[in-house]
Amino acid sequence: MLSIILPVYNEENNIERAYSAIREVLAPKGIDFELVFVNDGSKDNSFEKIRGLSETVRDAKIIGLSFSRNFGKEAAIFAGLSHATGEVCAVMDCDLQHPPETLLEMYELWQQGFEIIEGVKRSRGKENFLYKAFAKLFYKLISRSTGIEMYRSSDFKMLDRKVVNEYIKLTERNIFFRALSSWLGYKSAVVEFDVKERASGVTKWSIKSLVSYAIGSITSFTTAPMQLITLSGVLFFLFALVLGVQSIVKWATGHALEGFTTVIILILITGSLIMISLGIIGYYLARIYEEIKGRPRSIIEEIVKSPN
Ligand code: UDP
Ligand code: MG
C-alpha cells in the first residue's frame, strides 16, 4: 500500500480535491493507497472536511490527525510519517502544487528498487521576484555548507518503509525534511515536476515566517555560521597586527596622538562584529535549549480513521 502524507493548514477547499485528484491517478493503475491528512491547527473547516472524507470514502484508507495548534509543516510531515502504515510513503502538498501524476513516476522508480525518490522542481512556478531571490540565496547558503544541491528541491518525495522507519527514529525536534532525507543516504532517484498553481487559497508563507524558517533550518542543519565567526576573528587579528605595528612605530617616532578616526572606526566595527557573533552563538544556544527540553514535536488532539 502507498501512504500519502498531506500536511494541511487552512485548506478546506483542497481536501476533497486532493483526494479525487490522487484517486483519479492511482485507481486506474490498481495502486492501493492511504491518505494521511495532518491538520496543522487550521482555523477553517479543514478537519471537518477530513472527517467527512474518512466517513464517506470506501475505496481508500483515510487517516486524519489533528494538532492542538499550528506546529508547522515539518512537524506535520513527521507526525504523518509516524502514523502512515504503507510499505511506501509519499509526502506532498495538499494544495495540488505537487502534481499527482508524478506519483506514478515515483512509484515505478520505487518498484525498480529505489528507496528515496526526490521530487525536483523543473520550474518554480509563479512566485514573486523577492521570494525567488530569497529562496535562491537560502539554498545557496545550505548547498555551500552541506554540499547538497537544494535550490530545486522540494518536500515532494517518496520514501520506502525502511527509510521512513529510520527517519522517524531521529530524535531532534527541529527537523528539516528536505535536507535530512539526503543525509539518510539510501539508493535515491530524482523525478522532475512542474510546480502548478495553487488549487485554491493563498500561500501560508509570509516574509517573516520565511526568514525564521530559513534561520531555523540553517541552524538545525549546519554550524557553518559559527565557523564564519572564527574566520572573521582571524581576519580581524591580521588587521590588528598591521595596525598594532603601525601604532607602535608612530609612538616610537613621537606621532602617537594621530589616528583618532581609526580608533572610532575600529571600535564600531569590532563592537558590531562581536554583537553579531554573540547573536549567532545565541541561535545555537537556543537550539540546544529547545532540544534539551525534549518537548514533543506536536500534540495530536484527535485522530479519525476510515473503518476499512
Ligand atoms: N502547511 C502546514 N503548516 C503550515 C504551513 C503550511 O501544514 O504552517 C502546509 C500547507 O497546507 C500545504 C503545504 O504545507 O499543504 C505547503 O504550504 P504552502 O502551499 O502555503 O507553501 P508554498 O507552496 O507556497 O511553498
Ligand atoms: Mg503551496
Side-chain angles (χ1 to χ4, degrees):
M1 187 171 61
L2 167 63
S3 298
I4 300 168
I5 289 94
L6 302 130
V8 175
Y9 181 54
N10 295 347
E11 309 270 10
E12 57 184 356
N13 296 321
N14 291 332
I15 308 273
E16 276 148 30
R17 221 176 278 180
Y19 159 69
S20 3
I22 291 170
R23 189 201 47 202
E24 232 163 75
V25 170
L26 297 182
K29 301 276 175 192
I31 301 171
D32 202 15
F33 68 99
E34 154 187 276
L35 298 183
V36 185
F37 288 100
V38 186
N39 172 34
D40 186 10
S42 298
K43 295 190 174 58
D44 62 3
N45 282 325
S46 298
F47 197 61
E48 293 320 307
K49 298 274 163 144
I50 297 169
R51 194 198 304 277
L53 266 194
S54 77
E55 281 160 4
T56 52
V57 169
R58 288 294 164 265
D59 54 359
K61 207 172 146 193
I62 306 282
I63 298 181
L65 312 174
S66 190
F67 285 176
S68 61
R69 65 167 168 88
N70 181 256
F71 280 93
K73 189 180 175 187
E74 294 289 330
I77 292 176
F78 199 95
L81 285 173
S82 314
H83 283 80
T85 59
E87 65 264 27
V88 54
C89 300
V91 174
M92 69 188 276
D93 284 1
C94 149
D95 55 9
L96 292 175
Q97 283 191 297
H98 297 159
E101 307 82 62
T102 309
L103 284 174
L104 284 183
E105 268 179 73
M106 292 177 156
Y107 194 78
E108 273 161 25
L109 284 165
W110 173 73
Q111 284 176 323
Q112 287 166 23
F114 289 98
E115 287 146 336
I116 297 187
I117 297 100
E118 316 229 15
V120 163
K121 295 171 186 162
R122 187 179 293 134
S123 59
R124 288 187 67 95
K126 272 204 178 151
E127 281 171 351
N128 72 39
F129 169 75
L130 200 68
Y131 186 99
K132 255 188 186 146
F134 186 82
K136 202 163 196 167
L137 177 77
F138 172 47
Y139 287 123
K140 227 180 201 149
L141 265 176
I142 293 209
S143 313
R144 274 282 167 81
S145 51
T146 59
I148 302 166
E149 207 265 304
M150 295 281 296
Y151 179 59
R152 299 189 309 146
S153 75
S154 69
D155 286 331
F156 189 20
K157 295 184 202 298
M158 191 175 281
L159 310 175
D160 185 76
R161 171 55 45 194
K162 265 198 282 189
V163 183
V164 173
N165 286 345
E166 290 307 319
Y167 187 72
I168 59 182
K169 262 193 236 159
L170 299 171
T171 53
E172 66 220 70
R173 314 284 121 189
N174 290 296
I175 210 159
F176 189 40
F177 182 64
R178 249 172 240 207
L180 272 172
S181 56
S182 52
W183 175 86
L184 284 167
Y186 291 102
K187 205 170 159 215
S188 67
V190 163
V191 168
E192 288 195 330
F193 70 94
D194 287 307
V195 179
K196 295 240 187 79
E197 291 235 15
R198 226 171 199 288
S200 145
V202 290
T203 176
K204 308 300 170 332
W205 295 104
S206 60
I207 291 289
K208 189 176 156 244
S209 65
L210 269 176
V211 171
S212 75
Y213 178 70
I215 293 177
S217 13
I218 290 176
T219 50
S220 77
F221 204 72
T222 162
T223 51
M226 295 231 261
Q227 285 144 24
L228 262 173
I229 298 179
T230 321
L231 186 70
S232 65
V234 169
L235 287 180
F236 229 76
F237 179 68
L238 294 177
F239 190 51
L241 272 183
V242 175
L243 265 180
V245 170
Q246 193 215 30
S247 307
I248 291 172
V249 170
K250 276 201 169 162
W251 172 76
T253 53
H255 299 291
L257 258 183
E258 261 178 51
F260 195 58
T261 321
T262 327
V263 174
I264 293 176
I265 292 176
L266 278 181
I267 289 179
L268 291 177
I269 296 179
T270 40
S272 45
L273 270 184
I274 290 173
M275 282 194 271
I276 293 172
S277 311
L278 279 177
I280 293 177
I281 297 172
Y283 274 116
Y284 286 95
L285 261 183
R287 278 288 125 108
I288 297 173
Y289 178 53
E290 277 162 25
E291 294 290 338
I292 222 161
K293 279 192 285 191
R295 290 194 179 159
R297 290 184 185 81
S298 57
I299 298 170
I300 297 172
E301 197 185 2
E302 198 181 342
I303 300 183
V304 292
K305 273 188 189 149
S306 58
N308 47 327

